[in-house]
Structures are given as C-alpha cells and as structure tokens.
Amino acid sequence: MNKIDLAFAPALEQAQLIRQGEVSPLELVELYLERIQRLDSKVGSYFTVAAEQAIADAKAKTEQLSKSNSDLPPFFGVPIAIKDLNAVEGIHCTYGVNVLKDKIAAYDDGVVMRMKRAGFTILGKTATSELGSLPYSEAPGFPPTRNPWNLEYTAAGSSGGAAAAVAAGLSPIAQGSDAGGSIRGPAFCCGLVGIKPSRGRVTWAPVGDYQSGISTNGPIARTVADAAALLDVMSGYVTGDPYWLLAPQNSFIEAARQPPGQLRIAFATSLPPIGEAQMVCQQAVQETVQQLEGMGHIVEAGCPDFTGLIEPFIKIWQAGVAAVGIPKEALSPMNRWIVEQSGSAGEYLQAVSQMQIVARRVVMFFEAYDVLVLPTYMFPTIRVGEWADLNPEETLQKIISWIAPCPPFNASGLPAIAIPTGFDTNGLPVGVQLVGRPAAEATIIALAAQIEAAKPWSTNRPAIAL
C-alpha cells in the first residue's frame, strides 16, 4: 500500500494493519506528521500539532507490539485529532480564543480519556470557531480553516478543523462536537460522515449540563463503520452526568454491518419558516429518497413542525457564549455582540422551557416514522470570509438560513448522521442527514451503511491531498 492510500485508509483498517504487523504506530504517526507539515499551511485544520507527544506515544506502542500483540484495545496505535474545545492534558487548549493561545490543559476531558483507553494516538488539536459559536472556523488570531476540496471555501464549523483534517488525509478520523450542526455541517461541507449522538449517549465530563443539553461530542470519519466504531468508544455514562442512556444491546459497529430492515421514512426539502433548500440540496434529498425506495423502504413526504424554535434556540446559544466568562473585550465583534444580547437568567430559563415544548412536538413526529431525511444545510458551503463584512444581525440571519435543518435535533436530543451524496457544480461536496428516534443511533447507522454500500464515497479524495 502506498503512502497516500495508507493515509486515506479507514481507521478500522489501520488498526488491523497494525495488528498484522504490516505497519507500526510510529510509521503511521510519522506519515501524518509529514503530511501535516507539508499541507496544513494551506488547509489550516490544526491549531496545535502535538508532534513530540505523538511520536513518544507511538514509539511506546511500537515497542509494546514488539513484545506482544494480544489484548490490544480496538484502535491501538491509530492516530486521531481532537477538537480544540476539548481538553487534552499537556496540550494547548485555546477554545479558538486568541488570548488563550498559551493555555495548556491540566486534565483530559471524559471523551479524551475514552479515546486514549481505546488506544488512539493524538496528533493534535483541530481548529474551531472562537468559542465554537459559529458555523465557520475563522477565529481571530488564527489562520482560517479551508475546505480541502476548494481552498477558497470554508470547511464550516465549529468542528471545521476536524473535518478538514480527515478530508485532506491529515488524520484518519477525528472527534468533534455539535450544538447546532457543528459536526454535521463540516461533514456535509467536506464530504464526510458525521454523527450527532442522542442526548446522554456521550459524556461532557468533567463539565455537567452544557447549554441545556443541546451540545454533544461525536465522531467525524470517511466511512460509516469508522464513525460507528468511534461512537462505540465515546459512548457511556460517567459518574455525575446529568443525562445518560442505557448502553445499547449491540455495538454501533455491529449496526453498521447489519441490514436495517424495512423502515418507514419521511423526507422534506422545505423547513418552515425558512423555506426551500437550494436546488442542489433538494436534489440530494430527492436522489436519496429514490435510492431508499429502491431498497424497499416506505418513504413519504413529512416533517416535524419547528415553529417557535428559532428564538429560544438563539437565546440559549447566546447564553452559552456569555457563560464562558471571557471578557467581551477579548472576543471578536460577533461574539461580543452575542454576549451583549444574551439577556437575563429569567430570559434564559424561559427560552429553555419554550425549546422543550417545541422539542416534544419534534419527538412526537417520530411515533409514525423510523427516520427523517433532510438537507444537512440549506445550501452548499460558503467562501472563506464571505460574511466578514456583515454586521452581527445580518450575520445571524445568514447563519439561520444556512444551518436551519440542524438545531432542531440538538433541541430535541435526537440522533442524526450526515452522509455525503455527491458534489455540486463547483466540485464541493453535498449530502443529507438522517435523523432517528430517541436513542436510535443504531437505526440511522444501519441505514447510512446501506446507502454507502450502494454508492460508496470513501474513495473520493481532494486534489490537494494527493
């Protein structure tokens, strides 16, 4: 296998190659570090490359393999990238804030601990928007994150660095987080698979309740199986978590390998009060619907009523930025305005109550359906800096009109998976999201894998990465 093929090999395949002795953890880490050094100045996917730590860890694992390859954790020696909103002990953790560039984390987040126990070697910290608050990764004081498929365009956000790294072959797999589409949007823009798990599936330890449960950690990968396997690693209760789910009977990787059976599926290309998605995103849904009908699923038009969600969701988003406690003078004009708009504690609690009312309606919709197919975003990715000259109110309206299909499922806690379906006329990826019933990640993973098997996408590679 040549180096490019190895760099783009699925994480599960890399784990198997390590077990078979065909590649060592050190060889893999050195491969990715060389690619990062050569390509990331163009892409901007990493804030911090932890080269010394990664090499030391990979050398230790390679030495361990020389003695025994039994009882290895599932991803022993496989590299991974961690979003810079999550703490990794001994590595910079900036949250995309310029004044925090020198901050070193003193502990590991809960999901980071799980990934280390699974055997991953951490390459570094990936780029995000400032405080993770925006759907494009252009934090002041940091290079913008660019889409590997076309460097004039954004990789989206706030997990833009994670998606760009995987798409460019600068990491085989990555961790992200999603409070309003921040995994699904970058996956959509970069032609990848991204899972927003159900509320309570993945811990936010040591943090407790994070923005009233709208945010969660999740995987970004090139294949459904890789994403499912990383979700297996991430999942599970940590003592004190305010939300939790019982462990599924079977693993998510097993779900990716099993047919889903006949499902009742709804779809929509229009979201009131936003309106219709752009034609290329409508076509992605319609093509997916035709594919699902051909597979024998029962498919019909339908969508939950999202009326009344936008305003309370915005208030909760604004409060989350304000709650970080960084002086607003140290923030970008957009985040400074968000903090100023955040309102009182009473307004926040009213917003939470209203969001939960709408969320009940959304969840009730799934009493009649197993899966909902929607556009991931309402239109394809935007250019880097495209909205930079707009005032905050105008920027907010642009954001709402772009990411509208994603926040309802953060509000309701339902699982959703973004999958690629093709490319637009500019050569940029497009795709759809599959939304499932509460705690039913296994269903949407099985369905996504069925779609992937019929029309594989993981062999697609941007020209910059070759």
Side-chain angles (χ1 to χ4, degrees):
M1 182 181 294
N2 64 45
K3 288 188 175 182
I4 292 177
D5 289 339
L6 182 59
F8 281 89
L12 286 165
E13 182 179 335
Q14 291 184 0
Q16 189 62 29
L17 291 171
I18 288 170
R19 281 176 170 75
Q20 294 169 347
E22 295 185 31
V23 66
S24 73
L26 183 58
E27 288 170 331
L28 270 180
V29 162
E30 289 177 336
L31 169 64
Y32 284 108
L33 290 177
E34 184 277 327
R35 289 181 62 82
I36 292 167
Q37 184 178 30
R38 178 163 47 89
L39 298 174
D40 201 47
S41 60
K42 301 175 184 178
V43 178
S45 63
Y46 284 88
F47 280 168
T48 300
V49 179
E52 291 184 10
Q53 296 97 320
I55 289 173
D57 184 62
K59 283 182 176 178
K61 285 172 175 160
T62 300
E63 176 65 20
Q64 182 180 340
L65 277 171
S66 69
K67 299 174 182 176
S68 173
N69 66 351
S70 60
D71 299 322
L72 297 177
F75 286 101
F76 184 85
V78 176
I80 194 169
I82 308 297
K83 184 177 179 179
D84 205 17
L85 295 183
N86 291 78
V88 179
E89 184 178 3
I91 299 179
H92 286 88
C93 189
T94 73
Y95 306 100
V97 179
N98 195 29
V99 297
L100 299 180
K101 276 187 172 181
D102 295 328
K103 178 182 172 63
I104 304 291
Y107 61 89
D108 288 330
D109 273 1
V111 289
V112 173
M113 293 174 64
R114 291 186 184 278
M115 287 182 277
K116 285 183 174 180
R117 287 200 295 267
F120 282 111
T121 293
I122 295 171
L123 292 170
K125 304 296 292 298
T126 55
T128 180
S129 55
E130 186 182 65
L131 298 178
S133 65
L134 301 173
Y136 42 88
S137 302
E138 300 172 24
F142 298 86
T145 303
R146 299 179 181 273
N147 195 312
W149 293 97
N150 186 327
L151 297 176
E152 293 182 7
Y153 289 80
T154 180
S158 62
S159 305
V166 176
L170 307 184
S171 180
I173 198 166
Q175 168 269 343
S177 56
D178 190 317
S182 286
I183 286 172
R184 289 162 289 163
F188 163 75
C189 292
C190 293
L192 302 170
V193 179
I195 300 177
K196 184 207 82 68
S198 298
R199 181 174 299 145
R201 180 68 69 198
V202 180
T203 185
W204 260 115
V207 178
D209 183 13
Y210 195 80
Q211 291 180 290
S212 296
I214 68 172
S215 181
T216 182
N217 292 284
I220 295 176
R222 274 189 291 275
T223 69
V224 174
D226 271 7
L230 182 51
L231 182 56
D232 281 324
V233 168
M234 291 181 171
S235 297
Y237 173 76
V238 172
T239 302
D241 283 348
Y243 312 105
W244 65 91
L245 296 173
L246 295 176
Q249 288 186 333
N250 299 308
S251 68
F252 296 123
I253 185 59
E254 289 175 356
R257 295 166 176 162
Q258 298 295 326
Q262 187 184 63
L263 300 174
R264 190 172 183 86
I265 299 172
F267 73 93
T269 59
S270 178
L271 277 75
I274 304 299
E276 284 281 355
Q278 281 190 9
M279 184 56 67
V280 66
C281 295
Q282 291 184 43
Q283 290 171 344
V285 171
Q286 295 291 352
E287 290 170 3
T288 302
V289 165
Q290 292 175 5
Q291 192 175 3
L292 294 171
E293 288 174 334
M295 292 172 173
H297 299 292
I298 301 168
V299 186
E300 62 187 45
C303 189
D305 182 3
F306 302 134
T307 304
L309 179 62
I310 292 176
E311 291 305 319
F313 196 90
I314 288 172
K315 185 60 65 176
I316 293 166
W317 165 65
Q318 291 169 336
V321 175
V324 175
I326 293 174
K328 65 182 183 180
E329 295 77 17
L331 300 175
S332 65
M334 183 66 187
N335 273 333
R336 196 177 310 150
W337 176 82
I338 291 171
V339 171
E340 291 168 351
Q341 301 297 309
S342 61
S344 67
E347 289 173 319
Y348 173 79
L349 292 175
Q350 287 176 341
V352 170
S353 178
Q354 180 60 34
M355 182 183 74
Q356 291 172 346
I357 290 170
V358 179
R360 284 184 182 273
R361 284 203 310 263
V362 174
V363 174
M364 287 176 64
F365 175 86
F366 285 85
E367 292 179 355
Y369 298 100
D370 299 298
V371 176
L372 171 65
V373 182
L374 290 177
T376 307
Y377 276 0
M378 298 298 277
F379 49 90
T381 189
I382 61 173
R383 292 181 182 273
V384 172
E386 184 167 331
W387 299 339
D389 294 332
L390 301 179
N391 65 43
E393 293 90 344
E394 292 170 329
T395 302
L396 176 59
Q397 291 307 310
K398 292 286 189 181
I399 290 171
I400 291 170
S401 67
W402 192 29
I403 72 167
C406 287
F409 311 109
N410 298 90
S412 58
L414 295 175
I417 181 170
I419 58 172
T421 60
F423 297 87
D424 68 8
T425 55
N426 293 320
L428 292 162
V430 293
V432 300
Q433 65 172 326
L434 313 176
V435 185
R437 290 176 169 177
E441 287 96 333
T443 299
I444 58 173
I445 286 170
L447 183 61
Q450 186 181 41
I451 295 170
E452 179 185 35
K455 189 180 178 183
W457 54 68
S458 64
T459 55
N460 295 325
R461 300 172 187 176
I464 188 179
L466 302 180

mmCIF file of all heavy atoms in Angstrom, residues 159 163 174 176 178 181-188 191-197 218-224 227-228 231 376 415-420 432-434 444-445 448 457:
data_model
loop_
_atom_site.group_PDB
_atom_site.id
_atom_site.type_symbol
_atom_site.label_atom_id
_atom_site.label_comp_id
_atom_site.label_asym_id
_atom_site.label_seq_id
_atom_site.Cartn_x
_atom_site.Cartn_y
_atom_site.Cartn_z
ATOM 1 N N SER A 159 -16.655 22.424 14.123
ATOM 2 C CA SER A 159 -15.669 21.335 14.008
ATOM 3 C C SER A 159 -15.025 21.342 12.630
ATOM 4 O O SER A 159 -14.760 20.291 12.038
ATOM 5 C CB SER A 159 -16.336 19.980 14.279
ATOM 6 O OG SER A 159 -16.995 19.955 15.519
ATOM 7 N N ALA A 163 -13.027 18.203 10.395
ATOM 8 C CA ALA A 163 -13.460 17.708 9.089
ATOM 9 C C ALA A 163 -12.403 17.950 8.020
ATOM 10 O O ALA A 163 -12.149 17.079 7.184
ATOM 11 C CB ALA A 163 -14.775 18.382 8.704
ATOM 12 N N ALA A 174 -11.572 11.745 13.402
ATOM 13 C CA ALA A 174 -11.482 12.892 14.307
ATOM 14 C C ALA A 174 -12.681 12.951 15.228
ATOM 15 O O ALA A 174 -13.767 12.458 14.904
ATOM 16 C CB ALA A 174 -11.364 14.192 13.519
ATOM 17 N N GLY A 176 -15.317 15.519 17.167
ATOM 18 C CA GLY A 176 -15.898 16.844 17.076
ATOM 19 C C GLY A 176 -16.973 17.021 18.119
ATOM 20 O O GLY A 176 -17.198 16.144 18.957
ATOM 21 N N ASP A 178 -21.090 19.074 18.640
ATOM 22 C CA ASP A 178 -22.211 19.582 17.859
ATOM 23 C C ASP A 178 -23.268 20.155 18.789
ATOM 24 O O ASP A 178 -23.892 19.431 19.557
ATOM 25 C CB ASP A 178 -22.800 18.424 17.038
ATOM 26 C CG ASP A 178 -23.811 18.848 16.000
ATOM 27 O OD1 ASP A 178 -24.664 19.691 16.315
ATOM 28 O OD2 ASP A 178 -23.774 18.307 14.875
ATOM 29 N N GLY A 181 -25.265 21.765 14.783
ATOM 30 C CA GLY A 181 -24.811 21.320 13.477
ATOM 31 C C GLY A 181 -23.310 21.303 13.314
ATOM 32 O O GLY A 181 -22.798 21.110 12.209
ATOM 33 N N SER A 182 -22.564 21.457 14.400
ATOM 34 C CA SER A 182 -21.115 21.658 14.313
ATOM 35 C C SER A 182 -20.318 20.413 13.972
ATOM 36 O O SER A 182 -19.122 20.503 13.700
ATOM 37 C CB SER A 182 -20.587 22.249 15.630
ATOM 38 O OG SER A 182 -20.944 23.602 15.734
ATOM 39 N N ILE A 183 -20.942 19.238 13.972
ATOM 40 C CA ILE A 183 -20.350 18.037 13.384
ATOM 41 C C ILE A 183 -20.935 17.806 12.001
ATOM 42 O O ILE A 183 -20.218 17.592 11.017
ATOM 43 C CB ILE A 183 -20.591 16.794 14.270
ATOM 44 C CG1 ILE A 183 -19.699 16.834 15.511
ATOM 45 C CG2 ILE A 183 -20.347 15.501 13.489
ATOM 46 C CD1 ILE A 183 -20.004 15.741 16.522
ATOM 47 N N ARG A 184 -22.263 17.872 11.911
ATOM 48 C CA ARG A 184 -22.946 17.546 10.653
ATOM 49 C C ARG A 184 -22.617 18.543 9.548
ATOM 50 O O ARG A 184 -22.412 18.147 8.393
ATOM 51 C CB ARG A 184 -24.458 17.504 10.900
ATOM 52 C CG ARG A 184 -24.907 16.288 11.726
ATOM 53 C CD ARG A 184 -26.286 16.507 12.314
ATOM 54 N NE ARG A 184 -26.252 17.498 13.390
ATOM 55 C CZ ARG A 184 -27.332 18.124 13.859
ATOM 56 N NH1 ARG A 184 -28.524 17.879 13.321
ATOM 57 N NH2 ARG A 184 -27.225 18.983 14.854
ATOM 58 N N GLY A 185 -22.526 19.835 9.879
ATOM 59 C CA GLY A 185 -22.217 20.841 8.864
ATOM 60 C C GLY A 185 -20.841 20.661 8.249
ATOM 61 O O GLY A 185 -20.703 20.628 7.019
ATOM 62 N N PRO A 186 -19.780 20.566 9.059
ATOM 63 C CA PRO A 186 -18.454 20.307 8.476
ATOM 64 C C PRO A 186 -18.386 18.989 7.704
ATOM 65 O O PRO A 186 -17.706 18.922 6.673
ATOM 66 C CB PRO A 186 -17.543 20.293 9.709
ATOM 67 C CG PRO A 186 -18.227 21.228 10.671
ATOM 68 C CD PRO A 186 -19.687 20.948 10.483
ATOM 69 N N ALA A 187 -19.065 17.945 8.177
ATOM 70 C CA ALA A 187 -19.093 16.690 7.429
ATOM 71 C C ALA A 187 -19.752 16.907 6.067
ATOM 72 O O ALA A 187 -19.259 16.418 5.036
ATOM 73 C CB ALA A 187 -19.841 15.621 8.220
ATOM 74 N N PHE A 188 -20.855 17.635 6.045
ATOM 75 C CA PHE A 188 -21.551 17.967 4.798
ATOM 76 C C PHE A 188 -20.635 18.739 3.851
ATOM 77 O O PHE A 188 -20.529 18.409 2.660
ATOM 78 C CB PHE A 188 -22.793 18.789 5.148
ATOM 79 C CG PHE A 188 -23.416 19.548 4.017
ATOM 80 C CD1 PHE A 188 -24.168 18.897 3.055
ATOM 81 C CD2 PHE A 188 -23.263 20.925 3.923
ATOM 82 C CE1 PHE A 188 -24.759 19.617 2.012
ATOM 83 C CE2 PHE A 188 -23.849 21.643 2.897
ATOM 84 C CZ PHE A 188 -24.600 20.983 1.927
ATOM 85 N N GLY A 191 -17.555 16.392 2.650
ATOM 86 C CA GLY A 191 -17.789 15.084 2.048
ATOM 87 C C GLY A 191 -17.502 13.913 2.956
ATOM 88 O O GLY A 191 -16.970 12.884 2.522
ATOM 89 N N LEU A 192 -17.908 14.032 4.237
ATOM 90 C CA LEU A 192 -17.592 13.028 5.244
ATOM 91 C C LEU A 192 -18.858 12.547 5.958
ATOM 92 O O LEU A 192 -19.957 13.016 5.694
ATOM 93 C CB LEU A 192 -16.620 13.616 6.270
ATOM 94 C CG LEU A 192 -15.295 14.142 5.718
ATOM 95 C CD1 LEU A 192 -14.549 14.911 6.789
ATOM 96 C CD2 LEU A 192 -14.441 13.003 5.164
ATOM 97 N N VAL A 193 -18.647 11.619 6.871
ATOM 98 C CA VAL A 193 -19.710 11.117 7.749
ATOM 99 C C VAL A 193 -19.548 11.764 9.116
ATOM 100 O O VAL A 193 -18.444 11.774 9.675
ATOM 101 C CB VAL A 193 -19.633 9.582 7.894
ATOM 102 C CG1 VAL A 193 -20.729 9.072 8.829
ATOM 103 C CG2 VAL A 193 -19.733 8.910 6.530
ATOM 104 N N GLY A 194 -20.621 12.322 9.651
ATOM 105 C CA GLY A 194 -20.569 12.919 10.982
ATOM 106 C C GLY A 194 -21.801 12.545 11.774
ATOM 107 O O GLY A 194 -22.926 12.659 11.278
ATOM 108 N N ILE A 195 -21.610 12.084 12.989
ATOM 109 C CA ILE A 195 -22.730 11.657 13.827
ATOM 110 C C ILE A 195 -22.902 12.603 15.006
ATOM 111 O O ILE A 195 -21.960 12.841 15.761
ATOM 112 C CB ILE A 195 -22.532 10.224 14.366
ATOM 113 C CG1 ILE A 195 -22.400 9.223 13.224
ATOM 114 C CG2 ILE A 195 -23.701 9.826 15.274
ATOM 115 C CD1 ILE A 195 -22.121 7.797 13.670
ATOM 116 N N LYS A 196 -24.114 13.144 15.136
ATOM 117 C CA LYS A 196 -24.515 13.820 16.368
ATOM 118 C C LYS A 196 -25.295 12.797 17.176
ATOM 119 O O LYS A 196 -26.420 12.437 16.833
ATOM 120 C CB LYS A 196 -25.404 15.035 16.092
ATOM 121 C CG LYS A 196 -25.740 15.804 17.394
ATOM 122 C CD LYS A 196 -27.050 16.548 17.321
ATOM 123 C CE LYS A 196 -28.241 15.678 17.590
ATOM 124 N NZ LYS A 196 -28.320 15.192 18.995
ATOM 125 N N PRO A 197 -24.727 12.290 18.264
ATOM 126 C CA PRO A 197 -25.410 11.248 19.033
ATOM 127 C C PRO A 197 -26.634 11.784 19.786
ATOM 128 O O PRO A 197 -26.854 12.993 19.899
ATOM 129 C CB PRO A 197 -24.330 10.776 20.020
ATOM 130 C CG PRO A 197 -23.039 11.288 19.471
ATOM 131 C CD PRO A 197 -23.380 12.546 18.748
ATOM 132 N N GLY A 218 -19.032 13.887 19.294
ATOM 133 C CA GLY A 218 -19.338 12.853 18.316
ATOM 134 C C GLY A 218 -18.206 12.659 17.324
ATOM 135 O O GLY A 218 -17.224 13.400 17.323
ATOM 136 N N PRO A 219 -18.337 11.662 16.436
ATOM 137 C CA PRO A 219 -17.263 11.308 15.504
ATOM 138 C C PRO A 219 -17.415 11.927 14.121
ATOM 139 O O PRO A 219 -18.521 12.188 13.644
ATOM 140 C CB PRO A 219 -17.405 9.788 15.410
ATOM 141 C CG PRO A 219 -18.881 9.549 15.579
ATOM 142 C CD PRO A 219 -19.380 10.629 16.503
ATOM 143 N N ILE A 220 -16.278 12.157 13.472
ATOM 144 C CA ILE A 220 -16.197 12.553 12.066
ATOM 145 C C ILE A 220 -15.248 11.578 11.383
ATOM 146 O O ILE A 220 -14.135 11.354 11.857
ATOM 147 C CB ILE A 220 -15.703 13.994 11.912
ATOM 148 C CG1 ILE A 220 -16.730 14.978 12.508
ATOM 149 C CG2 ILE A 220 -15.442 14.338 10.450
ATOM 150 C CD1 ILE A 220 -16.280 16.417 12.476
ATOM 151 N N ALA A 221 -15.685 10.991 10.271
ATOM 152 C CA ALA A 221 -14.902 9.939 9.619
ATOM 153 C C ALA A 221 -15.221 9.900 8.136
ATOM 154 O O ALA A 221 -16.127 10.582 7.653
ATOM 155 C CB ALA A 221 -15.215 8.583 10.269
ATOM 156 N N ARG A 222 -14.477 9.064 7.408
ATOM 157 C CA ARG A 222 -14.753 8.910 5.984
ATOM 158 C C ARG A 222 -15.768 7.805 5.711
ATOM 159 O O ARG A 222 -16.384 7.788 4.652
ATOM 160 C CB ARG A 222 -13.450 8.616 5.223
ATOM 161 C CG ARG A 222 -12.694 9.867 4.831
ATOM 162 C CD ARG A 222 -11.540 9.562 3.891
ATOM 163 N NE ARG A 222 -10.491 8.820 4.574
ATOM 164 C CZ ARG A 222 -9.524 9.393 5.282
ATOM 165 N NH1 ARG A 222 -9.483 10.699 5.388
ATOM 166 N NH2 ARG A 222 -8.603 8.667 5.870
ATOM 167 N N THR A 223 -15.920 6.867 6.628
ATOM 168 C CA THR A 223 -16.857 5.766 6.426
ATOM 169 C C THR A 223 -17.829 5.674 7.590
ATOM 170 O O THR A 223 -17.535 6.102 8.711
ATOM 171 C CB THR A 223 -16.121 4.419 6.297
ATOM 172 O OG1 THR A 223 -15.539 4.070 7.566
ATOM 173 C CG2 THR A 223 -15.030 4.466 5.234
ATOM 174 N N VAL A 224 -18.976 5.083 7.320
ATOM 175 C CA VAL A 224 -19.968 4.885 8.372
ATOM 176 C C VAL A 224 -19.419 3.955 9.451
ATOM 177 O O VAL A 224 -19.611 4.186 10.645
ATOM 178 C CB VAL A 224 -21.275 4.313 7.770
ATOM 179 C CG1 VAL A 224 -22.272 3.958 8.880
ATOM 180 C CG2 VAL A 224 -21.900 5.318 6.801
ATOM 181 N N ALA A 227 -17.075 5.821 11.778
ATOM 182 C CA ALA A 227 -17.831 6.718 12.658
ATOM 183 C C ALA A 227 -18.556 5.923 13.743
ATOM 184 O O ALA A 227 -18.583 6.324 14.911
ATOM 185 C CB ALA A 227 -18.820 7.549 11.842
ATOM 186 N N ALA A 228 -19.140 4.799 13.363
ATOM 187 C CA ALA A 228 -19.853 3.962 14.331
ATOM 188 C C ALA A 228 -18.904 3.408 15.386
ATOM 189 O O ALA A 228 -19.223 3.379 16.585
ATOM 190 C CB ALA A 228 -20.562 2.824 13.604
ATOM 191 N N LEU A 231 -17.958 6.083 17.781
ATOM 192 C CA LEU A 231 -19.074 6.338 18.695
ATOM 193 C C LEU A 231 -19.128 5.277 19.793
ATOM 194 O O LEU A 231 -19.421 5.594 20.949
ATOM 195 C CB LEU A 231 -20.390 6.381 17.923
ATOM 196 C CG LEU A 231 -21.635 6.693 18.753
ATOM 197 C CD1 LEU A 231 -21.495 8.009 19.506
ATOM 198 C CD2 LEU A 231 -22.877 6.709 17.866
ATOM 199 N N THR A 376 -28.739 18.576 5.012
ATOM 200 C CA THR A 376 -27.907 18.860 6.185
ATOM 201 C C THR A 376 -27.859 20.367 6.423
ATOM 202 O O THR A 376 -28.154 20.843 7.523
ATOM 203 C CB THR A 376 -26.490 18.304 5.991
ATOM 204 O OG1 THR A 376 -26.568 16.918 5.644
ATOM 205 C CG2 THR A 376 -25.680 18.454 7.271
ATOM 206 N N PRO A 415 -30.823 11.605 17.637
ATOM 207 C CA PRO A 415 -29.578 11.307 16.915
ATOM 208 C C PRO A 415 -29.714 11.650 15.431
ATOM 209 O O PRO A 415 -30.799 11.528 14.845
ATOM 210 C CB PRO A 415 -29.423 9.799 17.103
ATOM 211 C CG PRO A 415 -30.840 9.296 17.190
ATOM 212 C CD PRO A 415 -31.598 10.377 17.922
ATOM 213 N N ALA A 416 -28.620 12.075 14.822
ATOM 214 C CA ALA A 416 -28.611 12.396 13.394
ATOM 215 C C ALA A 416 -27.240 12.092 12.821
ATOM 216 O O ALA A 416 -26.221 12.257 13.502
ATOM 217 C CB ALA A 416 -28.975 13.862 13.172
ATOM 218 N N ILE A 417 -27.232 11.662 11.582
ATOM 219 C CA ILE A 417 -25.973 11.365 10.900
ATOM 220 C C ILE A 417 -25.964 12.070 9.553
ATOM 221 O O ILE A 417 -26.938 12.001 8.798
ATOM 222 C CB ILE A 417 -25.763 9.835 10.730
ATOM 223 C CG1 ILE A 417 -24.427 9.527 10.040
ATOM 224 C CG2 ILE A 417 -26.906 9.183 9.974
ATOM 225 C CD1 ILE A 417 -24.063 8.036 10.070
ATOM 226 N N ALA A 418 -24.898 12.803 9.267
ATOM 227 C CA ALA A 418 -24.701 13.440 7.965
ATOM 228 C C ALA A 418 -23.878 12.511 7.093
ATOM 229 O O ALA A 418 -22.852 11.981 7.529
ATOM 230 C CB ALA A 418 -23.987 14.777 8.130
ATOM 231 N N ILE A 419 -24.348 12.326 5.851
ATOM 232 C CA ILE A 419 -23.624 11.477 4.904
ATOM 233 C C ILE A 419 -23.490 12.224 3.577
ATOM 234 O O ILE A 419 -24.361 12.992 3.198
ATOM 235 C CB ILE A 419 -24.314 10.115 4.675
ATOM 236 C CG1 ILE A 419 -25.753 10.314 4.172
ATOM 237 C CG2 ILE A 419 -24.295 9.293 5.959
ATOM 238 C CD1 ILE A 419 -26.429 9.014 3.740
ATOM 239 N N PRO A 420 -22.395 12.011 2.854
ATOM 240 C CA PRO A 420 -22.232 12.655 1.546
ATOM 241 C C PRO A 420 -23.043 11.935 0.483
ATOM 242 O O PRO A 420 -23.286 10.722 0.572
ATOM 243 C CB PRO A 420 -20.733 12.544 1.285
ATOM 244 C CG PRO A 420 -20.295 11.356 2.074
ATOM 245 C CD PRO A 420 -21.203 11.246 3.250
ATOM 246 N N VAL A 432 -26.894 14.690 2.773
ATOM 247 C CA VAL A 432 -28.138 14.748 3.532
ATOM 248 C C VAL A 432 -27.861 14.334 4.964
ATOM 249 O O VAL A 432 -26.785 13.804 5.281
ATOM 250 C CB VAL A 432 -29.214 13.817 2.929
ATOM 251 C CG1 VAL A 432 -29.533 14.212 1.492
ATOM 252 C CG2 VAL A 432 -28.780 12.346 2.994
ATOM 253 N N GLN A 433 -28.853 14.549 5.828
ATOM 254 C CA GLN A 433 -28.782 13.989 7.171
ATOM 255 C C GLN A 433 -29.961 13.056 7.391
ATOM 256 O O GLN A 433 -31.068 13.287 6.891
ATOM 257 C CB GLN A 433 -28.719 15.066 8.251
ATOM 258 C CG GLN A 433 -29.927 15.951 8.384
ATOM 259 C CD GLN A 433 -29.862 16.865 9.603
ATOM 260 O OE1 GLN A 433 -29.316 16.504 10.649
ATOM 261 N NE2 GLN A 433 -30.419 18.050 9.476
ATOM 262 N N LEU A 434 -29.693 11.993 8.127
ATOM 263 C CA LEU A 434 -30.709 11.025 8.537
ATOM 264 C C LEU A 434 -30.920 11.205 10.033
ATOM 265 O O LEU A 434 -29.973 11.117 10.805
ATOM 266 C CB LEU A 434 -30.253 9.593 8.252
ATOM 267 C CG LEU A 434 -29.653 9.311 6.863
ATOM 268 C CD1 LEU A 434 -29.168 7.864 6.794
ATOM 269 C CD2 LEU A 434 -30.656 9.599 5.761
ATOM 270 N N ILE A 444 -30.137 4.631 12.311
ATOM 271 C CA ILE A 444 -29.623 5.539 11.278
ATOM 272 C C ILE A 444 -28.236 5.115 10.813
ATOM 273 O O ILE A 444 -27.871 5.338 9.653
ATOM 274 C CB ILE A 444 -29.645 7.006 11.745
ATOM 275 C CG1 ILE A 444 -28.841 7.221 13.023
ATOM 276 C CG2 ILE A 444 -31.085 7.490 11.913
ATOM 277 C CD1 ILE A 444 -28.689 8.694 13.422
ATOM 278 N N ILE A 445 -27.459 4.496 11.684
ATOM 279 C CA ILE A 445 -26.155 3.978 11.264
ATOM 280 C C ILE A 445 -26.334 2.833 10.275
ATOM 281 O O ILE A 445 -25.660 2.771 9.240
ATOM 282 C CB ILE A 445 -25.335 3.533 12.497
ATOM 283 C CG1 ILE A 445 -24.825 4.764 13.260
ATOM 284 C CG2 ILE A 445 -24.170 2.630 12.092
ATOM 285 C CD1 ILE A 445 -24.228 4.443 14.612
ATOM 286 N N ALA A 448 -27.501 4.361 6.988
ATOM 287 C CA ALA A 448 -26.401 5.058 6.323
ATOM 288 C C ALA A 448 -25.431 4.072 5.692
ATOM 289 O O ALA A 448 -24.930 4.295 4.580
ATOM 290 C CB ALA A 448 -25.679 5.959 7.320
ATOM 291 N N TRP A 457 -18.509 6.269 -1.137
ATOM 292 C CA TRP A 457 -17.948 7.612 -1.304
ATOM 293 C C TRP A 457 -16.550 7.766 -0.728
ATOM 294 O O TRP A 457 -15.873 8.743 -0.990
ATOM 295 C CB TRP A 457 -18.855 8.645 -0.632
ATOM 296 C CG TRP A 457 -19.157 8.334 0.817
ATOM 297 C CD1 TRP A 457 -18.296 8.359 1.871
ATOM 298 C CD2 TRP A 457 -20.415 7.927 1.362
ATOM 299 N NE1 TRP A 457 -18.925 7.987 3.033
ATOM 300 C CE2 TRP A 457 -20.248 7.725 2.752
ATOM 301 C CE3 TRP A 457 -21.688 7.735 0.805
ATOM 302 C CZ2 TRP A 457 -21.273 7.319 3.598
ATOM 303 C CZ3 TRP A 457 -22.715 7.325 1.655
ATOM 304 C CH2 TRP A 457 -22.503 7.128 3.021
#
